[in-house]
Amino acid sequence: MKRRINKEIIKINDDLANGIQEKYSISDEYVNHKGEICLNGLMWFKNHNYISFFEVILPKNYPWKKPKIIIGFFDYMTLLKVDVGMLETLGYQKKCMCCSSLLCKSWAPIMRIEHVLDEVHQNLSIKKKVVELLHCY
């Protein structure tokens, strides 16, 4: 498991260094707590001039079990609960952000941390737009 995690971390940070992705970085140091591995990182939202701290918690039997994502102090899955009307106003195609998440029902061992972080970045950008839309009302 640790070998796979190390490879995933190296790929994420190499992609950042080579300009392949410019959305997030992840620390190559991690904490092993009660069998779970905790990774820290930063996520950039250039369109919103915003940076967010996140934590990826990998269970003992990762990749067979899905990771848990913490954004700041909040569980990522709870942040996905957004009014469907707001999503429709923004042109979001799916009914529920939570149900369409990789971490809900779509998790498979072939998924990697970068897949989850790409989704998190995309969904948090949509969530930020929803907040901006709410401020307009």
Side-chain angles (χ1 to χ4, degrees):
M1 178 173 92
K2 288 183 183 179
R3 191 169 16 157
R4 176 182 169 146
I5 293 168
N6 287 331
K7 283 182 180 180
E8 289 188 44
I9 291 170
I10 289 169
K11 182 177 182 333
I12 287 169
N13 291 328
D14 283 351
D15 286 352
L16 178 66
N18 295 327
I20 295 171
Q21 65 91 3
E22 298 178 339
K23 299 177 273 189
Y24 47 81
S25 70
I26 198 160
S27 173
D28 57 355
E29 296 178 14
Y30 49 85
V31 177
N32 192 340
H33 178 68
K34 296 182 181 177
E36 293 182 331
I37 292 178
C38 302
L39 305 167
N40 296 319
L42 292 174
M43 191 167 286
W44 298 276
F45 299 91
K46 290 183 180 181
N47 294 345
H48 303 285
N49 198 22
Y50 182 73
I51 297 175
S52 181
F53 170 80
F54 67 88
E55 186 175 25
V56 179
I57 302 169
L58 303 170
K60 289 182 203 180
N61 44 5
Y62 173 81
W64 305 107
K65 289 231 176 168
K66 61 188 174 188
K68 182 177 181 180
I69 308 293
I70 306 295
I71 307 295
F73 299 107
F74 301 99
D75 180 13
Y76 167 66
M77 294 304 286
T78 61
L79 291 175
L80 294 182
K81 295 178 180 160
V82 178
D83 180 64
V84 176
M86 292 290 182
L87 293 175
E88 289 173 355
T89 302
L90 292 172
Y92 188 73
Q93 300 297 319
K94 298 174 181 152
K95 286 286 182 191
C96 174
M97 289 174 75
C98 183
C99 295
S100 61
S101 172
L102 293 174
L103 299 179
C104 187
K105 297 176 185 171
S106 304
W107 182 256
I110 197 167
M111 301 291 180
R112 296 186 310 267
I113 297 169
E114 71 179 292
H115 294 128
V116 175
L117 294 179
D118 286 341
E119 175 193 289
V120 168
H121 189 274
Q122 179 183 7
N123 285 341
L124 290 181
S125 293
I126 293 169
K127 178 83 175 197
K128 190 80 168 154
K129 291 176 187 175
V130 167
V131 171
E132 290 171 355
L133 188 61
L134 285 170
H135 286 184
C136 292
Y137 284 117

